[in-house]
Amino acid sequence: MANKRVLVKFSGEALAGEAGHGIDTKILNYISQEIKSLVSAGIEVGIVIGGGNIIRGVTAAQDGIIKRTSGDYMGMLATVINGIAMQEACEHAGLEVRMQTAIKMEQIAEPYINRRAVRHLEKGRVVIFAAGTGNPFFTTDTAATLRAVEIGAEVIIKATKVDGVYDKDPNKFSDAIKLSELSYEQALSDNIKVMDDTSIALAKDNSLPILVCDMFKKGNLLDILQNGNMQNCSIV
Ligand code: UDP
């Protein structure tokens, strides 16, 4: 499937590794190799990374000292920190990368310009979309869905630690059942919550398929996108 365009969303926590916070360069290195395998197969890759390993707006604002809007801006800046790290790791892996931010900070990255992003992708460059949507009260899941729709990605990949979506938390319940295929309505239900409601609604409105897959299984992303092996993922 040459020239397939995808948007991969990683949570900030995924970068933290065993420490649970900060950035683990071994994980960055692993992710960049996985991304490289996609690019080498002719797949155009956009990336959105969360910021939860550094700070989340809701947590920053929980005792009322920091306003929610300010906490959210702190969260968006956290995604830029992660983005810089991801950019370095991808370059270290030999990839061409550009980062674009939803909040202007031109000494660090390009501002988000849709047509420019698409051009980078066409040239085989990985594009990292940082600073979320640029607006408080949104999440990086929503930012990822928005960018996926904007760049015309065929699918958004939510890269997680589990091999798909379960009817309940598989880490807590041994009888949890994997749902290989589910509807947007199911994805919105409280016990499943593939992504937040805003992002699922946006995906649904634009008929954007959501793939939830295990990013720690080496080669899984490529196997799904190139060979259609859906064993270690679920599709909405
Ligand atoms: N954020 C925001 N607007 C956006 C995207 C993110 O305000 O469009 C803030 C929000 O505070 C969020 C934080 O950035 O908690 C980090 O993003 P997220 O929680 O989505 O990261 P993840 O859970 O994926 O690591």
Side-chain angles (χ1 to χ4, degrees), residues 9 11-13 50-52 55-57 71-72 75-76 132-140:
K9 158 78 206 303
S11 74
E13 272 164 6
I55 199 154
R56 287 201 175 91
D72 280 340
M76 285 183 259
T133 62
N135 300 293
F137 298 100
F138 287 91
T139 63
T140 50

Side-chain angles (χ1 to χ4, degrees), residues 116-183:
R116 202 160 169 187
V118 168
R119 196 71 197 108
H120 288 319
L121 292 166
E122 285 169 352
K123 288 180 179 166
R125 295 175 183 149
V126 171
V127 183
I128 300 172
F129 300 102
T133 62
N135 300 293
F137 298 100
F138 287 91
T139 63
T140 50
D141 279 353
T142 302
T145 311
L146 178 62
R147 294 293 181 247
V149 174
E150 286 183 285
I151 62 170
E154 284 171 46
V155 65
I156 176 169
I157 299 169
K158 169 127 177 159
T160 67
K161 292 174 187 168
V162 282
D163 66 348
V165 181
Y166 286 77
D167 63 343
K168 46 191 163 190
D169 187 347
N171 294 318
K172 287 186 196 148
F173 301 94
S174 57
D175 62 339
I177 296 166
K178 185 176 160 184
L179 308 166
S180 296
E181 237 184 284
L182 57 162
S183 64

Side-chain angles (χ1 to χ4, degrees), residues 47-68:
I47 299 177
V48 169
I49 315 168
N53 55 323
I54 301 172
I55 199 154
R56 287 201 175 91
V58 175
T59 320
Q62 65 189 358
D63 64 3
I65 294 170
I66 296 172
K67 282 195 282 297
R68 170 68 192 270

Side-chain angles (χ1 to χ4, degrees), residues 63-218:
D63 64 3
I65 294 170
I66 296 172
K67 282 195 282 297
R68 170 68 192 270
T69 45
S70 298
D72 280 340
Y73 282 118
M74 292 160 73
M76 285 183 259
L77 292 177
T79 72
V80 177
I81 295 176
N82 286 336
I84 296 172
M86 193 69 241
Q87 183 172 34
E88 289 295 323
C90 286
E91 275 179 359
H92 183 75
L95 290 165
E96 267 204 69
V97 199
R98 294 291 185 275
M99 180 162 83
Q100 296 199 339
T101 53
I103 297 169
K104 272 192 192 169
M105 40 185 99
E106 285 169 79
Q107 279 82 357
I108 296 176
E110 296 176 3
Y112 173 64
I113 299 170
N114 174 266
R115 297 175 75 96
R116 202 160 169 187
V118 168
R119 196 71 197 108
H120 288 319
L121 292 166
E122 285 169 352
K123 288 180 179 166
R125 295 175 183 149
V126 171
V127 183
I128 300 172
F129 300 102
T133 62
N135 300 293
F137 298 100
F138 287 91
T139 63
T140 50
D141 279 353
T142 302
T145 311
L146 178 62
R147 294 293 181 247
V149 174
E150 286 183 285
I151 62 170
E154 284 171 46
V155 65
I156 176 169
I157 299 169
K158 169 127 177 159
T160 67
K161 292 174 187 168
V162 282
D163 66 348
V165 181
Y166 286 77
D167 63 343
K168 46 191 163 190
D169 187 347
N171 294 318
K172 287 186 196 148
F173 301 94
S174 57
D175 62 339
I177 296 166
K178 185 176 160 184
L179 308 166
S180 296
E181 237 184 284
L182 57 162
S183 64
Y184 292 109
E185 284 70 25
Q186 276 177 300
L188 278 165
S189 67
D190 282 342
N191 58 326
I192 293 180
K193 283 272 178 230
V194 168
M195 300 198 292
D196 63 86
D197 293 1
T198 313
S199 51
I200 294 171
L202 189 59
K204 181 179 179 223
D205 281 353
N206 293 283
S207 305
L208 176 73
I210 307 166
L211 276 172
V212 181
C213 66
D214 183 358
M215 62 170 242
F216 288 104
K217 189 176 183 301
K218 202 167 171 42

